[in-house]
């Protein structure tokens, strides 16, 4: 599963180029951005990012992912972890959302032109 349509340069987590409505052929490749000080991946339409900014809560989520052997990609951040999954029906993004397992997360969905730094 491709997680990202392409990549964009960023500074302080802000995109330095427009990406909404652009196809993957108009975005940068990983090779073009990998040596930049900061860049972001534009989420593929069928991808959801669960951002857990609290280290303790991110460890709980990681334990669930490992115990259930869920198919996802996990990235360590300075405050917690990012979990990328195939999206099966979540339609909108959200900030400080309490999810069914009791954790508070930020949610980004690919079909809403979202990115991950």
């Amino acid at each position: 599963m491709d997680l990202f349509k392409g990549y964009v340069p960023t500074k302080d987590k802000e995109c330095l180029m427009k990406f909404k409505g652009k196809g993957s052929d108009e975005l940068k490749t990983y090779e073009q951005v990998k040596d930049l000080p900061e860049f972001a991946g534009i989420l593929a339409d069928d991808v959801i990012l669960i951002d857990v900014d609290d280290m303790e809560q991110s460890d709980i989520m990681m334990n669930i992912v490992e115990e259930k052997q869920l198919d996802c990609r996990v990235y360590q951040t300075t405050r917690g972890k990012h979990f990328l999954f195939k999206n099966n029906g979540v339609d909108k993004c959200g900030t400080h959302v309490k999810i069914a397992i009791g954790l508070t997360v930020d949610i980004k969905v690919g079909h809403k032109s979202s990115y991950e730094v």
Side-chain angles (χ1 to χ4, degrees), residues 56 58 110-111:
E56 184 178 325
S58 71
H111 65 270

Side-chain angles (χ1 to χ4, degrees), residues 37-54:
E38 185 182 300
F39 63 90
I42 306 304
L43 298 181
D45 287 342
D46 62 347
V47 171
I48 183 170
L49 164 65
I50 306 297
D51 179 1
V52 187
D53 282 335
D54 175 84

Side-chain angles (χ1 to χ4, degrees), residues 93-105:
C93 301
T95 305
H96 303 297
V97 176
K98 190 151 201 161
I99 58 175
I101 58 175
L103 304 179
T104 300
V105 303

Side-chain angles (χ1 to χ4, degrees), residues 73-114:
R73 175 93 40 92
V74 181
Y75 294 102
Q76 181 77 42
T77 69
T78 55
R79 296 183 294 177
K81 293 178 180 66
H82 287 178
F83 298 83
L84 292 110
F85 297 92
K86 181 169 178 70
N87 187 356
N88 288 317
V90 177
D91 291 332
K92 59 184 180 176
C93 301
T95 305
H96 303 297
V97 176
K98 190 151 201 161
I99 58 175
I101 58 175
L103 304 179
T104 300
V105 303
D106 295 337
I107 298 171
K108 292 184 180 180
V109 292
H111 65 270
K112 295 283 187 183
S113 297
S114 299

Side-chain angles (χ1 to χ4, degrees), residues 48-75:
I48 183 170
L49 164 65
I50 306 297
D51 179 1
V52 187
D53 282 335
D54 175 84
M55 194 60 73
E56 184 178 325
Q57 289 192 43
S58 71
D59 289 342
I60 292 168
M61 180 80 162
M62 189 69 196
N63 289 338
I64 293 168
V65 164
E66 289 174 341
E67 184 177 310
K68 300 291 182 185
Q69 296 185 349
L70 301 178
D71 187 18
C72 73
R73 175 93 40 92
V74 181
Y75 294 102

